[in-house]
Amino acid sequence: KGLVGVCLYGLGIPMTIFALLFLNRKKLSEKRVLELYGFIFHGFRKEYYWWEVFIMMRKLTIAFCMVALTYYPFLQAFCAAGLMVLYLVSHVAAMPFELKVLNDLESLSLSCSTFTLQCCILYTRNREPGEDAWISKFEDGLSITLVLMNIAFVILMLSSIAASIIFSLK
């Protein structure tokens, strides 16, 4: 039942959206198409009208890694980290948003996620009895770095949102 749900919703919705956008790709600036589908592609450069579907599939593949590999934490972290590297490279190569600030925030977000998942690989490794104390100190330092990096990203994102709200009110 779960697999049917994943196929119907997880794959079906993005593929349906892609099909609708693809069929209307030459009419994206028409009023009717904008009213119906504009919320999906608005904010992306014209040639990347389909990028929201790519984002949906990115989330689906990461979730699939987390669920399908639940009993194999190292493999789970390794696969998710590898996928995130591919998604980060794809985003940086495409820069799909119209606004530079959105491309920068997405790049930073994907970088934080990639680094976090890369660190998960270290945390899920098999520990040897009597490991050197410096390894534990390194992991502690890395944990603090991860927390501070993610807090800094949240602050940056919230300040960007606040700035855009203030700018739109003027």
Side-chain angles (χ1 to χ4, degrees):
K1 291 180 184 182
L3 187 58
V4 172
V6 167
C7 289
L8 286 176
Y9 293 102
L11 293 173
I13 292 172
M15 291 301 109
T16 301
I17 291 170
F18 179 78
L20 290 169
L21 291 176
F22 184 78
L23 292 171
N24 290 287
R25 70 187 178 280
K26 294 182 178 160
K27 301 183 276 183
L28 294 178
S29 58
E30 291 179 11
K31 185 178 178 188
R32 182 181 170 279
V33 174
L34 275 169
E35 288 173 351
L36 287 172
Y37 309 118
F39 71 96
I40 299 169
F41 63 85
H42 184 70
F44 294 107
R45 293 187 301 155
K46 289 194 186 309
E47 63 269 27
Y48 292 104
Y49 65 90
W50 49 268
W51 197 262
E52 187 64 36
V53 174
F54 183 78
I55 292 171
M56 288 180 201
M57 296 308 292
R58 178 183 80 202
K59 292 175 182 181
L60 180 67
T61 57
I62 295 295
F64 182 77
C65 270
M66 297 297 121
V67 172
L69 301 171
T70 299
Y71 299 108
Y72 307 99
F74 177 81
L75 190 56
Q76 188 182 47
F78 183 81
C79 288
L83 284 170
M84 285 307 295
V85 168
L86 291 174
Y87 295 133
L88 174 59
V89 169
S90 299
H91 175 77
V92 170
M95 291 299 193
F97 292 102
E98 289 176 346
L99 298 177
K100 183 184 180 319
V101 68
L102 294 179
N103 281 315
D104 293 345
L105 282 173
E106 183 75 357
S107 296
L108 191 56
S109 170
L110 290 169
S111 297
C112 288
S113 296
T114 301
F115 184 64
T116 300
L117 287 166
Q118 292 288 332
C119 291
C120 286
I121 295 171
L122 177 67
Y123 295 138
T124 58
R125 68 179 170 66
N126 292 328
R127 288 167 171 69
E128 300 294 325
E131 275 186 343
D132 291 335
W134 73 269
I135 293 175
S136 292
K137 290 187 185 333
F138 176 75
E139 287 177 345
D140 292 345
L142 199 56
S143 296
I144 291 168
T145 303
L146 278 172
V147 169
L148 293 175
M149 180 183 71
N150 282 286
I151 288 172
F153 173 73
V154 168
I155 290 169
L156 178 66
M157 187 180 64
L158 291 174
S159 64
S160 294
I161 292 169
S164 67
I165 290 170
I166 291 169
F167 181 72
S168 70
L169 294 176
K170 289 183 179 181

